[in-house]
Amino acid sequence: MSKRIVSAAAPGAVCLALAWSWAARPADPLARAERRQAATVENVQVSRDGAVAGASLPVTDFSEVMLAVDPTDPDHLLGCAKLFHTPAAYRFHSGVFESFDGGRSWSQRQPDGVEGYTLTSDPVAAFDHAGNAYFAVLTRGPTGIDVLKKPFGGGWGPPVTADRTTAADKQWIAADHDPRGASPHAGNVYLAWTDVGDPARIVFARSTDSGAAWSAPLVLATGPLQGAVPAVGPDGTVVVVYGRDIIAVGDGDGAVEWVRSTDGGRTFSAPATAAALRAVPYQLPNAVFRTPASLPALAISPTTGDLHVAWADYRHGDADILAVRSTDGGATWSTPRRLNDDAVAGGVDQFQPQLAAAPNGRIAAVWFDRRLPCPDLPWIPRENVGRANFCIDTYMARSHDGGATWEPNVRVSAQTWDWSISLPMVNPTTGFIGDYQGLASTADADIAFWNATADLGDNPRRRQQVFVARVPAGRPTAEATATAAPRGSVYLPVAGGSEGTASGAAPVRLRDARRSVMLPRGGATGPPTVHGSPRRLP
């Protein structure tokens, strides 16, 4: 693949002057291009520390993120995260991020009512088939689960109590999108969580009136259980997966189990095993942050109804991402498949997987990955530069044939980040970078959503911030990296080569969080097309 450098000094060159989306920027001694280590995927910083709408205290760090996409509008995204105001004491509430332009620009806020509790935790979000948004949080003071609703075209309503009867933990939310018009339960919203009593129980509740009221908790399974995740198939079948013995104690042997409902969540099948696993340690080698368990991820194909499950597994002596699938409704399951494509038993950890299924059946997985050494950036502690299995990236793998085969891993994060720079502390010996990450899929892209201390130019204090990246559904035919130049200009190196055209007509897109620039490729002439600012919420 050949490269040509677009330079302002060269005849016929194009120099793109961009107005970045956040006007107030600190002095930048390091060029933005030097901050980017990966040119494949554009990263946008979603969050900003400091004042957050609706929060009474300044927010310092964001972590434990999730992402949902509106089935009525694939450009409408809703993310959520913990919002730390006192990270040294593990004090936080929870908030949301919203985008109406596919992730190019975002608003952030803490909805009203969230501060009515000592804390709100384990934030998760979903859309129903009509574009109504739901934001579920674990509450303490009192203990329970609340769900907030944002009607299509409206604002956030007050918290609605979903449970006050269990010692709730790790709730997850899903809704029936009815993608084929075949579900008799379209619009139902479902919650599953762990009641951490002795013994623990996996419990479930449903709403049939768009979140106005919730059913009494229904017990699905009992034992040393954690990590319930519900999902809905194209015919309205509800599946809940969870882990048994997934918090490593003793030999760490555990399992992913599952149950199924064919009547809209009224009743469920008996628990069954999808796969055996070896749980990851509570703290990985070279880490102070907690892992803390092999929490499963679940996606159901909206085209076939096939079930896909992934988790972090320690059977090879380091953490790998393993996945299984069922093409017969859970009657049988495939042999576990390793999704990360680094060397087996190479002493590198991959953890916190997330899965998503696109409307056309494509399956994507993302996870935290420590295969790359810590970079030599000015803010990385000198003793960590070059350190192996320490700093973190986000990687992705995708399948276009229902999980039968997977493409090579793609590095999604533009900068490898050092978790030790800014680390909320659960207690004096345990730090926190979140227990899960976010991923949503549309017909044309898979959208990764994660937290990191990376600084691509808008995180000068290197706090834990939220980042997003859209990975186009097809294999990329061009790559572009923004290179800083004097007076705010940007020079664009262009990777040549095309699929199916002699002229290389495919465009290269360079975006910031407010504007996108389309530059013709392969000898085309004329000025670039600049697309104006998309909608930004206050």
Side-chain angles (χ1 to χ4, degrees):
M1 181 178 291
S2 63
K3 293 185 178 181
R4 61 186 177 88
I5 304 298
V6 180
S7 168
V14 179
C15 180
L16 307 179
L18 298 185
W20 297 94
S21 61
W22 294 82
R25 292 179 180 275
D28 191 356
L30 192 65
R32 285 178 178 269
E34 295 178 67
R35 299 170 187 268
R36 283 181 59 98
Q37 300 166 297
T40 305
V41 183
E42 173 206 3
N43 289 188
V44 171
Q45 185 177 318
V46 172
S47 60
R48 294 295 189 276
D49 57 295
V52 172
S56 62
L57 296 172
V59 175
T60 63
D61 297 89
F62 307 79
S63 63
E64 197 155 272
V65 302
M66 189 206 175
L67 185 67
V69 59
D70 184 345
T72 72
D73 178 3
D75 282 339
H76 184 197
L77 305 174
L78 179 67
C80 52
K82 287 182 177 178
L83 277 54
F84 282 87
H85 55 78
T86 314
Y90 198 56
R91 303 296 297 170
F92 52 85
H93 284 291
S94 298
V96 296
F97 311 93
E98 194 165 17
S99 174
F100 289 91
D101 54 21
R104 297 172 183 86
S105 63
W106 295 82
S107 63
Q108 60 181 25
R109 73 171 297 108
Q110 182 178 281
D112 293 344
V114 169
E115 289 193 4
Y117 307 95
T118 305
L119 63 80
T120 52
S121 186
D122 297 356
V124 288
F127 286 96
D128 66 19
H129 70 315
N132 301 309
Y134 301 87
F135 174 46
V137 292
L138 184 73
T139 66
R140 292 293 185 260
T143 294
I145 298 172
D146 278 8
V147 180
L148 293 79
K149 177 184 175 183
K150 186 176 186 287
F152 178 80
W156 287 104
V160 172
T161 297
D163 176 64
R164 286 290 185 272
T165 65
T166 69
D169 188 37
K170 281 289 177 284
Q171 81 286 349
W172 207 263
I173 192 169
D176 189 338
H177 292 168
D178 192 21
R180 298 195 310 215
S183 172
H185 314 294
N188 279 8
V189 187
Y190 304 111
L191 282 168
W193 68 93
T194 306
D195 176 6
V196 293
D198 186 13
R201 306 183 301 169
I202 299 298
V203 292
F204 175 90
R206 66 181 186 137
S207 175
T208 59
D209 55 8
S210 300
W214 292 85
S215 64
L218 174 67
V219 177
L220 305 182
T222 302
L225 311 175
Q226 184 56 280
V229 180
V232 186
D235 63 353
T237 296
V238 182
V239 174
V240 179
V241 301
Y242 56 89
R244 180 178 293 273
D245 290 316
I246 60 171
I247 300 175
V249 292
D251 58 15
D253 289 338
V256 177
E257 296 183 349
W258 69 284
V259 295
R260 177 179 61 189
S261 173
T262 58
D263 57 10
R266 292 184 181 89
T267 63
F268 280 82
S269 63
T273 298
L277 61 77
R278 177 65 60 91
V280 298
Y282 184 79
Q283 288 176 310
L284 294 167
N286 307 324
V288 174
F289 60 84
R290 75 183 195 190
T291 308
S294 292
L295 298 170
L298 169 66
I300 302 179
S301 170
T303 59
T304 64
D306 291 352
L307 311 179
H308 300 267
V309 178
W311 68 94
D313 195 284
Y314 217 67
R315 67 187 61 187
H316 295 129
D318 55 33
D320 291 316
I321 306 304
L322 300 189
V324 293
R325 66 172 180 151
S326 175
T327 59
D328 53 15
T332 61
W333 293 84
S334 65
T335 301
R337 182 189 194 101
R338 186 174 180 265
L339 297 188
N340 49 294
D341 57 11
D342 60 321
V344 177
V348 173
D349 293 314
Q350 286 83 21
F351 54 102
Q352 293 191 15
Q354 193 55 265
L355 291 174
N360 56 10
R362 186 182 67 257
I363 306 298
V366 296
W367 60 84
F368 274 161
D369 196 303
R370 301 205 291 178
R371 73 181 69 181
L372 296 181
C374 294
D376 187 1
L377 293 170
W379 53 86
I380 302 294
R382 295 300 88 188
E383 63 272 18
N384 291 343
V385 172
R387 193 170 178 181
N389 198 37
F390 188 84
C391 290
I392 299 174
D393 276 287
T394 296
Y395 274 71
M396 176 181 288
R398 297 189 292 190
S399 174
H400 296 269
D401 55 10
T405 62
W406 291 78
E407 292 179 349
N409 294 178
V410 174
R411 182 185 175 194
V412 174
S413 50
Q415 186 184 105
T416 308
W417 60 280
D418 187 334
W419 52 267
S420 70
I421 292 175
S422 180
L423 187 66
M425 297 301 294
V426 179
N427 57 49
T429 61
T430 305
F432 190 78
I433 61 171
D435 292 339
Y436 49 84
Q437 304 303 309
L439 176 65
S441 293
T442 67
D444 62 358
D446 300 298
I447 308 166
F449 201 73
W450 72 98
N451 54 273
T453 61
D455 180 13
L456 302 177
D458 294 301
N459 188 20
R461 287 173 288 279
R462 286 101 207 187
R463 312 300 304 197
Q464 285 189 14
Q465 303 282 2
V466 181
F467 293 84
V468 68
R470 292 179 62 93
V471 183
R475 290 177 174 85
T477 59
E479 298 176 356
T481 303
T483 302
R487 296 177 297 280
S489 300
V490 172
Y491 297 145
L492 182 65
V494 179
S498 63
E499 294 182 357
T501 62
S503 63
V508 175
R509 184 183 295 272
L510 173 62
R511 298 188 186 124
D512 70 357
R514 195 177 67 177
R515 304 171 72 194
S516 64
V517 180
M518 297 297 295
L519 178 66
R521 186 165 64 96
T525 60
T529 302
V530 180
H531 301 278
S533 301
R535 176 180 178 186
R536 176 178 291 280
L537 298 182

